[in-house]
Amino acid sequence: MSASGEELTCEDLKKVLANGKVTIIDVRKPAELEKGKIEGSINIPVDNVKEAFSLNPGDFEGRFGFEKPALTAPLIFHCQMGRRGANATAIARQLGYTRAQNLKGGFGEWVQEEQQ
């Protein structure tokens, strides 16, 4: 998969995680996190993505507890199955995040891959 694609597979994500820094945003509702989460992911529900990534860096860090990603930084969104993650990816790209990608199959597929 090319770095410019809007989607990446679980296998692609494993490679990205092994090779360097990436920000993973879990766009599920907080109650859904009880099913588990991808290690290191940050929860910003899809309904809050546009507002969150429109904040200035100081406000973003104060609200979410981590540095706001640069517009050119790798940014991976995921939900349970992929639809909300795709919506969040589209929003991020509209805001100028050129390397925003959606995890194909979402957390559900991630869990299946991890169990194999």
Side-chain angles (χ1 to χ4, degrees):
M1 160 142 307
S2 71
S4 63
E6 290 191 23
E7 235 179 21
L8 78 163
T9 65
C10 291
E11 186 176 320
D12 293 331
L13 180 55
K14 287 177 186 178
K15 290 176 187 173
V16 170
L17 289 170
N19 290 328
K21 185 178 178 184
V22 62
T23 302
I24 304 172
I25 307 295
D26 185 335
V27 299
R28 297 176 296 164
K29 294 178 181 178
E32 292 178 273
L33 300 179
E34 294 174 9
K35 297 175 183 175
K37 61 181 260 177
I38 296 174
E39 187 174 340
S41 65
I42 306 297
N43 180 238
I44 301 176
V46 68
D47 292 340
N48 300 71
V49 168
K50 185 173 185 177
E51 175 195 357
F53 285 92
S54 296
L55 292 171
N56 70 52
D59 289 343
F60 183 96
E61 187 167 0
R63 184 165 173 190
F64 299 106
F66 71 101
E67 187 177 328
K68 183 178 179 182
L71 293 175
T72 57
L75 189 59
I76 312 300
F77 291 93
H78 83 85
C79 59
Q80 185 63 33
M81 298 185 69
R83 183 172 299 219
R84 290 174 290 173
N87 289 343
T89 299
I91 291 166
R93 284 184 170 253
Q94 288 171 356
L95 293 171
Y97 289 87
T98 58
R99 294 178 66 192
Q101 293 181 294
N102 177 44
L103 178 60
K104 184 179 179 181
F107 182 72
E109 191 164 313
W110 177 263
V111 169
Q112 289 180 351
E113 293 263 337
E114 290 294 295
Q115 292 175 348
Q116 293 180 358

